[in-house]
Amino acid sequence: MNGEYSLLIEFVHRHLDFHDAELLSILELHGINNGVDCHFRPLPVGVSAQTSELRRPFKILSFASSAIGGQFSVSDGNDGEKAINLVSALARCTLIRSVVELWGAGTDMEACVKAIQNGNSLQRHQVGKHLGSNAKKYEDRTWKISVHTLGTTYTREEQSDMRYKFSFLAFPGKVQMKEPDDEYLFIREVELDSQGGAVYPRHSGVNREIIPENDARPPLACYFGRVLGSMGRNWRSQRIEQYSLKKRSYLGPTSMDSELSLIMTNLALIKPGTVCFDPFVGTGSILLTAALRGAYTFGTDIDLRVLRGRSKTENIYSNFRQYNLSPPELVRCDNAIYRRHFREHLPLFDSIVTDPPYGIRAGARKSGARKDGEVRPILDEHRYDHVAQTKPYAVSDVMADLLNVAAMTLKMGGRLVYVIPSMRDFNEDEDLPRHECLLLVSVCYQPLQTELGRRTVTMEKIGEYDEKKRSFYLQNTWVNGIESAEKVANIRQKLLEAAKKRPGYEEKAAIRKQKRKATKDAKKKAKREAQASEQDGIGS
Amino acid sequence: MRLLTHNVLRNNTAAAARSTAPLRITATEVRVDDPPSAPSDDATRREVAFAKHALPILDWDALVQGAKAMGLDSLPPHVTPELAEGEGFLRALYHVLMNVHLVNGMLTCPETGREFPVTDGICNMMLEEGECE
C-alpha cells in the first residue's frame, strides 16, 4: 500500500509455534507499538490454495512511510538520532531468517511485478532518504538479484528467466555477486508441510523427474524486495553463533538447548540492566543467555553438586568467565520454601526464566525427610558437609510454588517464562497452572517425541501480591484441581509405561542394565588401581 | 555472594521466630572486582540506574554491617535524599553491592546462631529436615 513501508519477514522452519510470540515480544521490547506504529498485513493467497490450516513462514509488517528515517531507521549507518533501528531490533529474533524491504507482493509473478510498478518503492530507493546519510548514491550502487524458491529447485536458466522479469527496474549500477550494495530477492512461495518440504513437490523421488501437475501449479505467492540485514544467507547463523551451546566448558544432561533459551529470554523481554532469576538454575544455561543479553543474573538450586560443577574450571562460574560476563549470584536453597530464606516478598526481579525439574531427566527434590517423622538431629561436626535429605517434589507442586514465587518477587509488568512438559492429552485452556496475579501472555508448543511435547509458557505480573491470600493462591493453581495437576505430574511414569508397551522394550532394558553395570565395574576397578598405585608410591 | 544478596537473605525458620534480623557475615576470603578503568557512558548510566533502583529496597544498616565485615568502611551510616541523588555516591554504592564478593565465609543468624556456609562464592541456605516445618 502506498504511504506504507513494508517489511517481509521470513521465519526459519523450526519452533513453528513460537514465531508470533517471539516476534511480538521483540516488538514490545524495542518500544514498537504493534497496532499503532506498525501493522501486520495479510499475505497474498493464491486462488487454488487450501489455506485454512496452512502455516506460512512469512509475515508482512507495515510502518508509515513517513516514520522511516524519523522514528525508525533501516539503514546500517548510525545517524546519531534516537531512531529505533528495525533491522537490529528484528535481528534479535532467533526464529527470523531474513528481513526484506518489500517492493511488491502478489499471488503470482505477474501480480508481483504489477504491485512493484504500482508502488513507489523504486522511487523511494532512488531518492534514498531512508538509506541514511552515509549511503551511496543510487547511480553508483552495485546490485544483484537472488532467487529463493521455497521447497523447490529450478535450473540456472529458469532462475535467470525469473530475474529477467524484473529487468524493467533498470538499475543503473553494476552487477556485483559478492556483497553488493543492494541484494534484491525474488521469493516464490508454495505450500509447505510440517517438515518444511513442498506439499506438491516439483520433482519426484530418485530420478528427479518433473511431475507435470505439480509443476503447473501456480505458486502460493510471489514477493520481491531488497534484503535488509546485510549478510544475506549467513545473517542468521552469525547472529546465533555467539550464543552457541557447544563452546561452553560446563554442560549437563539438563542444559537447555541454546535456541530455546534464546527464545525464552526474548519472551521474557530481557534487556541490559534488568535482573533475571532462575529458581532451578542447574548448569546455568538460561542464566548465561540472560547475561549475554545484559541482565544481572541470580540463580538458586537445591542440588549443590550441579551448582558447584565438576571442578573449579568446569562450573557455572567458568562458563560465565568464558564469555567475559560478570558472575551470577548463586544460592543453594529450596524454591519450595523460598520465603524461609528471603525477606518479605520483595519485587526484585524483572524476569524469571526457568526450566523446572519435571522428573524426566532430573528428579525434582525439596527439603524435608524422605519418610516424614524420621528426622535425626545433625551433629555439629557433620553439619558443614551434610547433604540434607530431600524428598520428591511433585511436579504439580513445583508449578504451584513457581507461580507463587513469581507473583511475589516479580516487579509489576515483569515476565515469568517457563517450560512445562505435556503429553498429548493436555488442554492449554484448562490445564495450565494459574495465579491471580499473573496474566497468560503466550503458550508455545514444541513436540519432542511421539507422546511427549513441551510448552513454553509466558506470563506477566499484573496484580500486587497479597501474603494473606497465599493459601488461596496455592489452592487455586489448578483449575481442574487434581485432574490437571495429574497430567503434569508423573510424566516420567507415564512415559515409562508407554515405553514398556512398545515391542523390544525388554531387550533394550536388559542391554542398558548390562552397560550400566559394566561402566560401574570399570570405575571401581580404576579407583582400586589408582589407590593401589598411590599406596605403592607412599611405601617406596 | 554479593552484598546485595546478603541484604535480602534472612533465616526465616520457625526457630528464629520470623526474626527480621540480617545474617552476620564472617569473611574468610573476599574478592573485589575492579571496576573497568574507562567504562562506557552506557555502562555508567546502567550502574547508576541500578543503584538508584536498589536503594529503596535495601536494609541500609544491614548493608553497612555487612560491608564492614567484608573490609569496607566507606559507607555512610545514613542516606540523606541529597546523597541519594549524587552520581558519585550511586556509583560507589553499585561497586559495594555488585563488585565485592564473599568467596568463603559464614553467615550466622543472630537469633539462633544457625550457620550458613559460603563456599566458593555459593551460599548454602539448605535447611535441615527438622527445620522445614
Side-chain angles (χ1 to χ4, degrees):
Chain A
M1 291 186 207
N2 282 339
E4 284 200 337
Y5 179 91
S6 298
L7 296 175
L8 179 72
I9 295 170
E10 183 178 359
F11 292 96
V12 292
H13 204 87
R14 258 203 310 292
H15 291 113
L16 301 173
D17 216 25
F18 290 75
H19 293 170
D20 289 359
E22 196 194 21
L23 177 57
L24 290 171
S25 292
I26 290 304
L27 292 177
E28 181 165 340
L29 189 57
H30 289 88
I32 301 170
N33 199 338
N34 181 28
V36 173
D37 297 323
C38 61
H39 297 84
F40 286 101
R41 297 294 177 217
L43 299 171
V45 175
V47 148
S48 62
Q50 302 123 313
T51 49
S52 49
E53 283 300 309
L54 201 58
R55 201 170 217 143
R56 300 168 72 174
F58 294 104
K59 273 231 146 32
I60 296 179
L61 190 60
S62 293
F63 297 77
S65 276
S66 49
I68 307 297
Q71 191 186 4
F72 300 109
S73 96
V74 292
S75 63
D76 282 337
N78 183 9
D79 282 339
E81 287 134 33
K82 288 246 167 174
I84 300 172
N85 189 312
L86 294 177
V87 183
S88 49
L90 292 172
R92 189 164 149 168
C93 265
T94 321
L95 299 171
I96 287 185
R97 193 176 149 177
S98 64
V99 177
V100 164
E101 174 186 277
L102 190 64
W103 284 28
T107 51
D108 59 18
M109 173 72 87
E110 282 67 41
C112 178
V113 166
K114 246 207 202 103
I116 301 173
Q117 289 165 334
N118 290 338
N120 63 347
S121 297
L122 179 62
Q123 294 83 333
R124 179 184 56 222
H125 192 58
Q126 286 164 338
V127 170
K129 196 180 93 147
H130 64 300
L131 299 174
S133 48
N134 293 332
K136 249 193 221 169
K137 276 200 316 265
Y138 176 66
E139 298 76 44
D140 300 327
R141 296 178 76 87
T142 55
W143 60 278
K144 74 168 181 179
I145 299 181
S146 301
V147 172
H148 175 34
T149 50
L150 269 68
T152 326
T153 42
Y154 288 88
T155 64
R156 277 231 178 89
E157 291 77 36
E158 287 165 329
Q159 290 188 35
S160 213
D161 288 340
M162 293 180 195
R163 280 198 199 88
Y164 186 73
K165 294 275 196 312
F166 299 96
S167 55
F168 70 94
L169 291 167
F171 298 123
K174 285 209 182 79
V175 173
Q176 185 173 300
M177 294 315 288
K178 218 174 170 201
E179 291 172 28
D181 295 310
D182 294 316
E183 181 183 352
Y184 296 94
L185 191 59
F186 166 64
I187 299 176
R188 186 178 189 278
E189 185 193 1
V190 295
E191 295 91 331
L192 294 178
D193 61 28
S194 57
Q195 257 67 46
V199 172
Y200 306 101
R202 187 175 183 235
H203 296 101
S204 73
V206 188
N207 295 329
R208 308 287 296 160
E209 282 168 7
I210 292 194
I211 305 171
E213 320 84 69
N214 287 352
D215 189 41
R217 281 186 76 92
L220 200 45
C222 285
Y223 311 96
F224 183 86
R226 190 177 67 94
V227 177
L228 301 174
S230 50
M231 288 173 259
R233 282 237 175 93
N234 290 326
W235 188 51
R236 182 169 184 269
S237 54
Q238 280 167 326
R239 280 150 45 206
I240 308 293
E241 182 53 27
Q242 53 179 315
Y243 301 108
S244 168
L245 199 98
K246 302 184 198 107
K247 290 201 275 183
R248 291 183 294 151
S249 56
Y250 177 48
L251 287 175
T254 55
S255 291
M256 168 71 55
D257 73 78
S258 59
E259 194 170 68
L260 186 58
S261 69
L262 282 173
I263 298 169
M264 287 172 79
T265 51
N266 279 342
L267 294 171
L269 307 179
I270 292 180
K271 53 185 169 195
T274 56
V275 185
C276 181
F277 173 44
D278 184 347
F280 305 103
V281 68
T283 53
S285 31
I286 295 179
L287 276 195
L288 186 65
T289 311
L292 284 167
R293 298 224 191 268
Y296 297 101
T297 52
F298 180 58
T300 62
D301 205 292
I302 204 171
D303 190 344
L304 192 58
R305 285 164 302 180
V306 85
L307 280 177
R308 289 200 177 266
R310 273 183 222 115
S311 68
K312 289 242 164 116
T313 49
E314 263 185 79
N315 58 25
I316 301 178
Y317 291 125
S318 65
N319 279 348
F320 273 67
R321 274 199 302 272
Q322 216 181 329
Y323 287 83
N324 230 350
L325 295 164
S326 189
E329 275 299 272
L330 296 176
V331 175
R332 182 198 179 199
C333 67
D334 178 358
N335 194 52
I337 49 172
Y338 179 91
R339 289 144 61 248
R340 294 272 174 278
H341 313 304
F342 296 93
R343 269 160 64 193
E344 299 310 310
H345 48 279
L346 288 173
L348 295 169
F349 309 117
D350 296 287
S351 59
I352 297 179
V353 187
T354 188
D355 178 11
Y358 37 76
I360 297 178
R361 277 184 299 185
R365 313 241 113 210
K366 66 175 176 176
S367 322
R370 220 160 272 148
K371 292 197 182 112
D372 293 298
E374 254 186 48
V375 178
R376 285 173 298 159
I378 313 300
L379 302 170
D380 273 342
E381 56 261 32
H382 294 154
R383 186 182 280 277
Y384 198 91
D385 286 330
H386 175 71
V387 179
Q389 254 197 349
T390 52
K391 58 183 184 184
Y393 188 13
V395 170
S396 47
D397 290 335
V398 169
M399 296 304 172
D401 288 335
L402 175 63
L403 262 64
N404 205 48
V405 166
M408 258 200 283
T409 61
L410 275 176
K411 296 181 189 169
M412 197 59 94
R415 289 211 169 168
L416 164 68
V417 181
Y418 69 90
V419 185
I420 187 171
S422 34
M423 311 286 286
R424 273 190 300 183
D425 60 352
F426 196 83
N427 179 336
E428 273 177 24
D429 293 322
E430 294 172 356
D431 293 331
L432 282 176
R434 298 178 191 203
H435 198 291
E436 209 174 75
C437 305
L438 303 173
L439 172 72
L440 183 66
V441 172
S442 66
V443 186
C444 305
Y445 180 71
Q446 184 189 2
L448 294 173
Q449 300 169 18
T450 37
E451 294 291 323
L452 182 70
R454 66 182 171 198
R455 289 175 157 80
T456 303
V457 180
T458 307
M459 304 185 89
E460 192 167 296
K461 178 166 174 176
I462 50 153
E464 291 289 0
Y465 181 81
D466 182 354
E467 177 63 18
K468 295 192 287 288
K469 292 174 85 171
R470 185 170 169 267
S471 332
F472 169 81
Y473 293 143
L474 290 172
Q475 273 160 20
N476 286 286
T477 306
W478 300 99
V479 167
N480 284 340
I482 296 185
E483 250 180 72
S484 304
E486 277 302 302
K487 284 187 186 174
V488 182
N490 307 321
I491 286 202
R492 182 189 232 165
Q493 259 166 279
K494 290 188 196 149
L495 279 179
L496 206 55
E497 277 160 34
K500 280 186 183 160
K501 292 191 191 128
R502 276 190 231 124
Y505 175 78
E506 298 287 334
E507 293 97 58
K508 285 195 190 151
I511 293 175
R512 278 200 298 269
K513 191 168 182 181
Q514 263 183 346
K515 277 195 183 159
R516 277 202 298 272
K517 187 163 190 300
T519 337
K520 208 170 175 181
D521 288 339
K523 274 191 182 164
K524 276 192 188 155
K525 193 177 176 203
K527 197 173 179 182
R528 263 176 294 155
E529 284 172 4
Q531 282 177 339
S533 65
E534 242 181 62
Q535 286 177 340
D536 284 342
I538 294 171
S540 63
Chain B
M1 188 205 66
R2 294 176 168 93
L3 279 166
L4 179 59
T5 310
H6 163 257
N7 207 269
V8 302
L9 284 174
R10 289 291 182 273
N11 177 16
N12 284 335
T13 57
R18 318 286 154 128
S19 101
T20 51
L23 305 168
R24 256 195 336 261
I25 298 181
T26 316
T28 317
E29 187 186 333
V30 174
R31 184 188 82 239
V32 180
D33 290 337
D34 296 313
S37 46
S40 66
D41 284 338
D42 246 359
T44 310
R45 227 182 312 126
R46 251 178 256 138
E47 289 182 5
V48 168
F50 186 85
K52 206 163 181 182
H53 285 122
L55 192 50
I57 65 165
L58 292 176
D59 175 341
W60 190 258
D61 289 332
L63 183 64
V64 174
Q65 293 304 319
K68 273 210 183 103
M70 307 261 271
L72 294 165
D73 263 321
S74 52
L75 290 175
H78 298 290
V79 184
T80 61
E82 303 93 52
L83 203 57
E85 292 294 314
E87 186 179 301
F89 168 76
L90 289 171
R91 288 189 65 192
L93 177 59
Y94 177 88
H95 180 76
V96 167
L97 288 174
M98 299 301 282
N99 288 340
V100 182
H101 304 271
L102 181 63
V103 179
N104 288 301
M106 197 68 82
L107 301 178
T108 315
C109 171
E111 292 292 315
T112 61
R114 170 72 157 95
E115 291 179 331
F116 299 97
V118 178
T119 325
D120 293 328
I122 299 174
C123 177
N124 189 343
M125 300 295 291
M126 276 306 280
L127 296 180
E128 303 307 332
E129 297 83 353
E131 294 169 300
C132 290
E133 162 212 7

